[in-house]
Amino acid sequence: FTAESDREKRDWMEALQESIAETLSDYEVAEKIWSNRSNKICADCKAINPDWASINLCVVICKNCA
């Protein structure tokens, strides 16, 4: 992706973040993330039942690691 100006870059990033937040607020999406057996442990420290999902990194992590 390219942006012609800092303003265009900020607008693009804001739109992307809003889309991610909207998607994660959808219960079905969250349910799919948490129901996957591989998402039952933190990708960093291996704690059980992590609280956070990183969409851009495609991992789930606990609050401590977040």
Side-chain angles (χ1 to χ4, degrees), residues 41-47 50-52 54 57 59-66:
I41 60 170
C42 174
D44 194 24
C45 74
K46 308 299 184 218
D51 306 292
W52 297 84
S54 174
L57 298 176
V59 297
V60 292
I61 53 178
C62 68
K63 286 182 183 179
N64 290 333
C65 292

Side-chain angles (χ1 to χ4, degrees), residues 4-38:
E4 299 295 322
S5 67
D6 284 339
R7 173 73 180 159
E8 189 175 282
K9 179 183 173 185
R10 282 191 306 271
D11 289 347
W12 183 85
M13 291 297 295
E14 185 176 310
L16 181 60
Q17 289 171 344
E18 286 175 8
S19 294
I20 290 170
E22 184 178 319
T23 300
L24 286 178
S25 69
D26 184 348
Y27 180 77
E28 286 184 38
V29 173
E31 188 64 31
K32 286 180 183 179
I33 292 170
W34 303 128
S35 67
N36 186 316
R37 196 173 85 205
S38 64

